[in-house]
Amino acid sequence: MLLTVVGNTGSFPGPDAPASCYLLSGEDADGRTWRIVLDMGNGTLGALQRHIELETIDAIMLSHLHPDHCVDVGGLHVAIKWDPRGWTAGPIPLFGPSQLPTYLNQLHLLPPEHSMDTEFEFHVWQPLRSVTVGPFTVTPFPVNHPCPEPYALRVEYRGPSGTEVLTYSGDTDACDELVDAARDADLFLCEAAYQEGREDGLRGIHLTGRRAGETAVAAGARRLLLTHLPVWNSPETVETEAAGVYDGAVEVTRVNRRYDVARPTERSVDALAPAGGDD
């Protein structure tokens, strides 16, 4: 399974990167490449097109309904519905919280009775109930963030080398459910929007690098990849916080880079060559 970091900036786009968006790709037993997208925050729709054709998206899976994680799905609706060349791929399976259809209608000021079912095939997350798309099985775990129905997503990929696991934290503070989601994960893609000594009075919202590291330790995750850093965060500081409590390989995501989820544990999560359209 390959992870492409399309956007990784926390809370709003930065000057060098969009907000949260992660592309996962992997082949099934017949050699067909499947692609699922985790979150589509501000600025990510344009950036995603540098890596794949939009019609090759097999599913979109949203962790929660904050703009920096989902707002560009509204633009994708326009791309599907109004492309004069036509859209041949059919509705895209779209997984998210129960209020997602209402949220998208409000983005476009559409009446409540309007449906985007011709553009999207809507699916509502049910806590701990897994869904399967091609070789990917995704399980949503409720987490600790101030919005309705926030989830961490545990992705299990059945590939030629066996099962690989990537856990994406979404947005959350430390909680038992996040530990469960990341249990024995090959790669823990975890937010670290706060820093120790700066937002100590804010709880139930985001993790620090230290708390992300502590969660990785409790879960037994093999590697830790920190993401969702706002523009005012120091990547070096956040990485140092995590490394102070977590002995495994740890680093901060780099946008437009592709990571191999099954990389051996004795090596760090080194970025591969910049991702291109051919997975």
Side-chain angles (χ1 to χ4, degrees), residues 2-26:
L2 294 178
L3 160 68
T4 302
V5 179
V6 179
N8 64 352
T9 304
S11 301
F12 57 90
D16 301 313
S20 294
C21 183
Y22 309 94
L23 171 66
L24 297 181
S25 59

Side-chain angles (χ1 to χ4, degrees), residues 5-9 11-22 37 39-51 54 66-76 255-256:
V5 179
V6 179
N8 64 352
T9 304
S11 301
F12 57 90
D16 301 313
S20 294
C21 183
Y22 309 94
V37 177
D39 283 351
M40 287 190 67
N42 321 53
T44 61
L45 180 59
L48 182 60
Q49 293 172 77
R50 300 180 193 136
H51 303 284
L54 296 179
H66 278 162
D68 59 321
H69 291 261
C70 70
V71 74
D72 269 24
V73 175
L76 182 58
V255 75
N256 293 327

Side-chain angles (χ1 to χ4, degrees), residues 51-191:
H51 303 284
I52 60 171
E53 296 291 333
L54 296 179
E55 289 188 332
T56 67
I57 298 172
D58 291 295
I60 300 168
M61 301 184 172
L62 303 179
S63 63
H64 64 292
L65 298 184
H66 278 162
D68 59 321
H69 291 261
C70 70
V71 74
D72 269 24
V73 175
L76 182 58
H77 150 73
V78 175
I80 297 171
K81 187 176 182 64
W82 298 110
D83 188 336
R85 299 167 297 181
W87 178 271
T88 62
I92 297 177
L94 178 58
F95 297 79
S98 60
Q99 297 180 25
L100 178 55
T102 300
Y103 178 91
L104 291 177
N105 276 11
Q106 289 175 341
L107 279 179
H108 291 275
L109 299 179
L110 299 173
E113 65 273 13
H114 180 87
S115 173
M116 293 189 183
D117 290 347
T118 55
E119 293 79 63
F120 301 113
E121 181 184 294
F122 288 99
H123 301 271
V124 176
W125 290 127
Q126 301 297 324
L128 306 182
R129 184 176 297 178
S130 301
V131 300
T132 297
V133 176
F136 298 102
T137 296
V138 183
T139 306
F141 286 73
V143 288
N144 187 14
H145 192 61
C147 70
E149 304 171 56
Y151 292 101
L153 303 177
R154 180 182 177 90
V155 183
E156 299 181 14
Y157 165 69
R158 302 176 306 282
S161 301
T163 300
E164 304 168 21
V165 178
L166 175 144
T167 295
Y168 169 48
S169 68
D171 279 3
T172 181
D173 200 349
C175 59
D176 291 341
E177 293 82 358
L178 182 60
V179 174
D180 292 340
R183 186 79 63 193
D184 299 323
D186 295 294
L187 182 59
F188 184 22
L189 177 63
C190 188
E191 71 117 289

Side-chain angles (χ1 to χ4, degrees), residues 193-217:
Y194 287 169
Q195 289 184 188
E196 296 288 322
R198 191 184 68 190
E199 286 105 356
D200 293 350
L202 299 174
R203 296 307 299 259
I205 306 174
H206 290 296
L207 293 159
T208 62
R210 179 182 179 86
R211 294 205 293 270
E214 290 171 342
T215 300
V217 171

